[in-house]
Structure formats: structure tokens, C-alpha cells
Amino acid sequence: MKVAVVGATGLVGSEILTVLAERNFPVTELIPVASEKSKGKEIEFKGKKYKVVTPAEAIALKPQVALFSAGGGTSTEFAPLYAEAGITVVDNSSAWRMDPTKKLVVPEVNGDVLTADDKIIANPNCSTIQMVVVLKPLHEKYKIKRVVVSTYQSVTGTGVKAVTQLMDERAGKEGEKAYPYQIDLNVIPHIDVFQENGYTKEEMKMIKETNKIMGDDSIRVTATTVRIPVMGGHSESVNIEFENDFDLDTVRALLSEQEGVIVVDDPANLKYPMPKDAHGKDEVLVGRIRRDESQDNTLNLWVVADNLRKGAATNAVQIAELLDKKGLI
């Protein structure tokens, strides 16, 4: 299969190339795509070198699938042009996520919604992806009424500039800033821009995307998203109120059986998920599984995943794998 990776020189684009290779996606020809300033650079993939082309040039090369990770502006401009040319786009930006005509997909949760007519498919927000993979089996069994989530998100979610800022601050060096405040030895309760209701755009993404992916607007969600000085992945404290009561052993069994989830829950031996353990993994780790003793039918979980992999690159590649398996591309 001829595959284009749009944004191939960025953090997520590089991770997409790694994941395509690791999972042996059937790439017969790679088309690395980036901005004009990167045109002509060489990208290595599985021992072969490929020259970077511009988004417009890639259309003429007719890939079957294009994995976009180059920001909302690029996606808004070029995804429709790729789709018109018959190329299936899996887009990692927020540009198409809440478009009612576009599917928002996490394969383990709602992969069954995909059809051959879906030419632009949205990849959800990283923090939403890891949460809904865990919510799915619990919702099916106990019916979720409300979710309260607080996130602890890696600087890698912002990009290279943020990683550089953290490392510069740690080394006591001055440099370019991605955040309005110091991030080393600090936490910043502000991800993306503030909205009129006092929430940030990141928080509203988690709220709206959860309802869309789960296919259930009755689930009430509230979120607080926070940037912390770590590299390995995003962590989330998730409090879930159900309509029906639950048994903790059954909850652990359901989560253990859920595709893409690993339960790490042994407090007696200090075993619980941490970002450094999720780094480089495709699975979502879940632990600190316990009843909320302040109200009925309510569960507390701690959820961790590598935001560049399951939160972005891996999920996009998994969508492409599912399209291929179903014969939709």
C-alpha cells in the first residue's frame, strides 16, 4: 500500500513512521510530507530513504491512505483535496473531530462505525483516547452517568519546543518558551486556549469527544486538564458514577479483557501505572481501582498512556489497519 505521512518531520509524524514499521503495516511506498521548508529532506523508513514532498505534491502521487499530523490549518486546507482525489485521510488534528459528517474513531471502542464512504476520519484528542478505551466495557456493563476527569499531561503533547523548554530550565539555560510560565518543578493548569465558560479548549474536547465516540450524549463529563513536567505520557484521575452498582473483581476482569488495556493494580506491592512505564507502549495502563466511598455506584481509576503512541500515532495507524482489514481502502 502506498502511504503518505503528512507532518512526517514532527514529533507525532516521526512516531507514526516508527509505529508503521513496528506493526509491519503493508507499506509498499512511503510518501513523507512536510512543509515547503522541509521539501527534499530525506526520511529513512525500514532501511530505505524517501524524499520529503509538499502536501500538494503528494496528492499527485496517489497514496491510498494519508496519515495527517501537521496541525489544523494543514488539515483544513488539504484533507478535502486528498479526499476528493480518492485518498482516505486519517487526521490527527482537532479540525474534523466535532464535524457531524466525520467519524471520530478509537478502533477498540467504535471501529464498527467506519464505512468505505468515510474519506476523512478524525483521530481523537490524546487524553480522550486513553480514557474511552477504559470507559467502554464499564459503560456496557454498568451504564455510566457521569465522569469527572483530571489530567496530568506530558510536555510532549505540546511538541518539540515544550520539551526543549523543560530541558533548558532543568539545565538552567535560557531559551525559547512554549509556555507562559516555567514548567520544570511546576504544574500549569492550562492546556490550549480558555473558552467563555472558563474551561480550556482541551477540557471541552474531552467532554464533547467522549460523548461522540461513546455514541451516548447522556454521559455527563467534566474535565480539568493540567500540564506537568514529565515526558513519558499522560496520566488521568478518572471518577465514574454508574447507574448500576458494580463489583470490583468484575471491574478488574472487564478491564483485563478489554483490547488495548493492561491492568496494573497491586497497591500492596506498590504496583500502579506511571508515565515512565507507559512510554513506548501502545496499551493503556489502568490501576488504583477502588470504590468512591463518598457516594453510591462510583469508581475511581488511574489511567496512563503514551500520548505520542496510543494518544496519537498508534491510534491513527490502528484506524488504517482496520480500514485495510475491512477492505475499505
Side-chain angles (χ1 to χ4, degrees):
M1 192 181 303
K2 203 185 273 195
V3 178
V5 176
V6 183
T9 56
L11 264 185
V12 175
S14 301
E15 202 66 43
I16 287 173
L17 295 173
T18 301
V19 174
L20 285 169
E22 283 180 4
R23 295 175 75 92
N24 286 313
F25 190 80
V27 180
T28 52
E29 185 185 338
L30 178 74
I31 304 167
V33 183
S35 63
E36 192 73 45
K37 68 179 181 187
S38 296
K39 181 180 172 175
K41 274 187 184 172
E42 286 192 331
I43 295 270
E44 191 168 317
F45 179 74
K46 284 192 159 183
K48 283 182 72 177
K49 291 192 172 169
Y50 298 89
K51 277 200 161 64
V52 171
V53 299
T54 66
E57 288 170 336
I59 298 172
L61 298 173
K62 298 204 176 316
Q64 281 112 306
V65 64
L67 306 176
F68 271 62
S69 190
T74 301
S75 296
T76 304
E77 182 180 355
F78 286 102
L81 300 177
Y82 279 65
E84 282 165 25
I87 302 160
T88 302
V89 171
V90 180
D91 181 48
N92 204 48
S93 79
S94 60
W96 305 100
R97 290 177 188 156
M98 295 316 299
D99 184 325
T101 68
K102 305 292 184 287
K103 307 286 173 57
L104 184 66
V105 175
V106 178
E108 302 94 327
V109 179
N110 66 336
D112 58 324
V113 301
L114 290 170
T115 70
D117 294 330
D118 295 313
K119 285 300 177 192
I120 299 176
I121 300 155
N123 206 36
N125 187 42
C126 46
S127 44
T128 307
I129 290 173
Q130 66 187 70
M131 183 171 76
V132 295
V133 171
V134 170
L135 294 184
K136 181 182 189 277
L138 301 178
H139 185 51
E140 286 175 351
K141 178 78 173 171
Y142 302 114
K143 189 150 177 53
I144 295 170
K145 286 173 67 177
R146 183 171 184 251
V147 177
V148 182
V149 55
S150 299
T151 72
Y152 306 74
Q153 293 181 226
S154 162
V155 293
T156 56
T158 307
V160 175
K161 196 201 283 190
V163 173
T164 303
Q165 178 179 340
L166 174 60
M167 292 297 105
D168 282 348
E169 288 171 353
R170 194 146 288 188
K173 283 170 28 186
E174 281 300 317
E176 198 178 10
K177 305 275 191 218
Y179 304 120
Y181 300 103
Q182 174 184 320
I183 185 62
D184 190 33
L185 299 174
N186 194 24
V187 299
I188 302 174
H190 166 199
I191 299 177
D192 213 322
V193 295
F194 280 97
Q195 311 289 283
E196 282 186 14
N197 62 358
Y199 286 73
T200 64
K201 197 173 175 185
E202 181 85 355
E203 289 158 356
M204 294 311 298
K205 283 179 199 169
M206 289 196 77
I207 293 164
K208 292 174 180 174
E209 289 178 21
T210 298
N211 290 137
K212 184 171 178 178
I213 297 161
M214 300 289 287
D216 191 339
D217 286 340
S218 74
I219 301 171
R220 291 173 295 150
V221 183
T222 188
T224 303
T225 59
V226 181
R227 190 71 67 191
I228 66 170
V230 301
M231 302 277 274
H234 292 349
S235 306
E236 298 173 349
S237 167
V238 187
N239 178 272
I240 312 160
E241 182 185 359
F242 300 104
E243 279 192 8
N244 305 298
D245 200 9
F246 56 86
D247 171 74
L248 282 174
D249 288 337
T250 307
V251 166
R252 288 189 184 93
L254 287 167
L255 292 172
S256 296
E257 290 158 14
Q258 169 66 14
E259 184 188 353
V261 170
I262 296 174
V263 174
V264 184
D265 188 48
D266 183 9
N269 291 300
L270 308 185
K271 303 281 188 194
Y272 31 72
M274 293 181 288
K276 73 176 187 63
D277 302 322
H279 185 60
K281 290 191 173 69
D282 289 333
E283 295 83 9
V284 175
L285 311 182
V286 59
R288 299 298 319 281
I289 300 167
R290 64 207 190 277
R291 190 175 285 276
D292 178 346
E293 296 185 346
S294 71
Q295 68 172 8
D296 294 338
N297 305 350
T298 305
L299 179 72
N300 283 309
L301 302 173
W302 177 251
V303 180
V304 180
D306 186 323
N307 54 294
L308 293 183
R309 288 188 67 102
K310 183 53 184 170
T314 301
N315 199 73
V317 173
Q318 285 175 317
I319 292 171
E321 287 173 341
L322 188 57
L323 293 166
D324 184 35
K325 185 180 169 187
K326 289 176 137 191
L328 302 176
I329 47 175

